[in-house]
Amino acid sequence: MSKEQHPVGGSKTAAAPGPGRPRAFDEAEALEKALCVFWHKGYETASVDDLTKAMGLSRSSFYGAFGNKQDLFHQALSHYSRRALKTLRAVADAGGDDPVGAMMEALANPQGGRDGCMLINCLTELAPHDDEVAALGRQHLESIDEIIAKALEPSDPGRALDKARAYASLAIGTLALRKAGVPGERISQTLKQARSVISP
Amino acid sequence: MSKEQHPVGGSKTAAAPGPGRPRAFDEAEALEKALCVFWHKGYETASVDDLTKAMGLSRSSFYGAFGNKQDLFHQALSHYSRRALKTLRAVADAGGDDPVGAMMEALANPQGGRDGCMLINCLTELAPHDDEVAALGRQHLESIDEIIAKALEPSDPGRALDKARAYASLAIGTLALRKAGVPGERISQTLKQARSVISP
DNA sequence: GTGTTTTCGGACTAAATAGTCCAAAATTAA
DNA sequence: TTAATTTTGGACTATTTAGTCCGAAAACAC
């Protein structure tokens, strides 16, 4: 009488083998595929059919492993946030003489191409009606500020956080341009101009 | 044999009386109600039932007057854009000694409260899959830049547009904070800090 | 092997969705 | 009044939606 255990979210690493038939799919891979669908289509527009097809799962496996569409989405978004912040830190470390510029470029031109930043997309679509998404969004944005501030501290310890917030909002604001179809090249240019105009 | 004429979008002012029963509702008012629903719920989540209920129309009147859900949406969004730009110009004119600050404040704290700026919302939700929305978005964002640039020209004619773009992106970027539930007061504060840090 | 546990495929359900259709009522022009 | 034209209410349809259920197959422990 053991019902509805969908251990993907529960166990940090691969669960103990245990008895019974093992999963025929890689949960992390499936989550990644779902992430792509949500990223590209948004939450509402992504149907369970879209998701299962992209993930290569039957509905049974889907619901058995991830609970339901909303649970899966929260897992995917949380995963996205962690990975995006990790990437941002890596960009800062590899940014050479201008880590802040490199980070702004990374924020303004995310991997998703025309799809922009998944977290900002989902914040816009869902946050006013989904407290969990709103909370994750606040946390994510705050983390971005802190990562940028850390890079600014050596040169301007007093106002590092305020500056970081300004740079972050500036970069995130340009995501609207990307959504509107302005080519990435022109966005980078705009960003550089903005920065040169900002710290003269 | 005259079919499917839904003249709301066609005629600038009230249509000529003509023969037949006149509309029992005010088209502009109905559009305004629809606008509120789209603003609050987004395009996909707003059902035709939601819309007709808010507009006080039967389905016949709805489809007869506005074509279909997508047409209505485009009309509403276009109306929103015109009105928002008009408001922004008014804010600039009434901005006293700091029109740019007043405009940024208006952009960052739009009328929709927690719902943010409808145009940015819809750009985020739809632009990658709806060219008309993308085009309207580009146009709107460009107009914002120009309005701000006009206010900057007297003091810095050379780089007015570049500065304007930076300020606009900065203000628009803070909309993400609003979506995430950060209170408007703190956003205004952040915006002021950012500005002071930007032009020292 | 045997028994137990779990996954899997896919048919199924109930609800919501956008959009259509038609008869009845309302209005105007003559 | 009469004829023409339009709006209106609401029933209706076809499709899509998220989620459930069950028998069969697969893999483990022993």
Side-chain angles (χ1 to χ4, degrees):
Chain A
M1 205 176 273
S2 59
K3 280 193 176 179
E4 56 173 296
Q5 72 283 23
H6 20 85
V8 166
S11 54
K12 288 285 178 185
T13 57
R21 182 173 167 182
R23 294 231 156 95
F25 59 94
D26 183 311
E27 292 141 5
E29 259 178 55
L31 188 66
E32 181 67 30
K33 295 288 189 180
L35 172 57
C36 290
V37 174
F38 283 128
W39 197 346
H40 184 61
K41 305 197 74 173
Y43 178 76
E44 285 294 339
T45 313
S47 72
V48 174
D49 270 359
D50 291 333
L51 291 164
T52 52
K53 194 172 278 188
M55 300 161 86
L57 299 187
S58 73
R59 284 177 111 76
S60 298
S61 306
F62 177 88
Y63 283 102
F66 297 101
N68 58 33
K69 183 184 170 185
Q70 188 168 241
D71 286 349
L72 170 64
F73 171 73
H74 286 141
Q75 292 174 46
L77 188 60
S78 179
H79 176 66
Y80 176 88
S81 170
R82 274 192 300 275
R83 195 177 54 185
L85 292 176
K86 195 194 293 184
T87 299
L88 190 63
R89 278 185 270 260
V91 165
D93 290 342
D97 59 330
D98 183 17
V100 174
M103 281 191 278
M104 288 178 73
E105 194 66 39
L107 286 172
N109 297 325
Q111 293 170 331
R114 179 84 188 255
D115 294 328
C117 166
M118 181 185 175
L119 201 128
I120 298 292
N121 295 352
C122 297
L123 208 53
T124 306
E125 181 187 358
L126 303 170
H129 306 96
D130 184 332
D131 288 344
E132 197 169 331
V133 171
L136 181 58
R138 278 196 299 274
Q139 203 175 312
H140 187 86
L141 293 173
E142 203 173 330
S143 298
I144 290 176
D145 292 343
E146 286 167 7
I147 294 170
I148 299 180
K150 185 172 276 183
L152 286 167
E153 247 157 34
S155 63
D156 188 351
R159 289 182 295 182
L161 190 55
D162 285 333
K163 272 194 175 177
R165 284 176 175 153
Y167 287 138
S169 283
L170 180 54
I172 288 168
T174 65
L175 287 171
L177 296 171
R178 166 174 302 282
K179 282 283 179 170
V182 175
E185 204 176 282
R186 210 178 87 60
I187 294 176
S188 296
Q189 210 175 346
T190 296
L191 209 56
K192 263 183 205 152
Q193 298 271 13
R195 245 196 119 201
S196 81
V197 123
I198 273 175
S199 42
Chain B
M1 205 179 274
S2 59
K3 280 193 177 180
E4 55 173 296
Q5 72 281 24
H6 20 85
V8 166
S11 54
K12 288 286 178 185
T13 57
R21 181 175 169 180
R23 292 234 158 94
F25 59 94
D26 183 311
E27 294 141 4
E29 260 178 54
L31 186 68
E32 182 67 30
K33 296 287 189 181
L35 171 57
C36 289
V37 174
F38 282 130
W39 196 347
H40 184 61
K41 306 197 73 171
Y43 178 77
E44 286 294 339
T45 312
S47 70
V48 174
D49 269 0
D50 291 333
L51 291 165
T52 52
K53 193 171 279 187
M55 300 161 86
L57 299 187
S58 73
R59 285 177 111 74
S60 296
S61 307
F62 178 88
Y63 284 103
F66 297 101
N68 59 33
K69 183 184 169 184
Q70 187 168 243
D71 286 349
L72 169 64
F73 171 73
H74 284 141
Q75 292 174 45
L77 190 59
S78 180
H79 177 66
Y80 176 88
S81 171
R82 273 192 302 274
R83 195 176 56 185
L85 292 176
K86 195 194 293 183
T87 299
L88 190 63
R89 278 184 271 259
V91 165
D93 291 342
D97 58 330
D98 184 16
V100 175
M103 282 191 277
M104 287 177 74
E105 195 66 40
L107 287 172
N109 297 326
Q111 294 170 327
R114 179 83 187 257
D115 294 328
C117 166
M118 181 184 175
L119 201 128
I120 298 293
N121 295 353
C122 296
L123 209 52
T124 305
E125 181 187 357
L126 302 171
H129 306 97
D130 184 331
D131 288 343
E132 196 169 332
V133 171
L136 181 58
R138 277 196 300 272
Q139 202 175 313
H140 187 86
L141 293 172
E142 204 173 329
S143 298
I144 290 176
D145 293 342
E146 287 167 6
I147 293 169
I148 300 180
K150 186 171 277 181
L152 286 166
E153 247 158 34
S155 64
D156 189 350
R159 287 182 297 181
L161 190 56
D162 285 333
K163 272 193 175 178
R165 284 177 175 153
Y167 287 137
S169 283
L170 181 54
I172 288 168
T174 65
L175 288 171
L177 296 171
R178 165 173 303 282
K179 282 283 179 172
V182 175
E185 204 176 285
R186 211 179 87 60
I187 294 177
S188 297
Q189 210 174 345
T190 296
L191 209 55
K192 264 183 205 150
Q193 298 272 13
R195 245 194 120 201
S196 81
V197 122
I198 273 174
S199 42

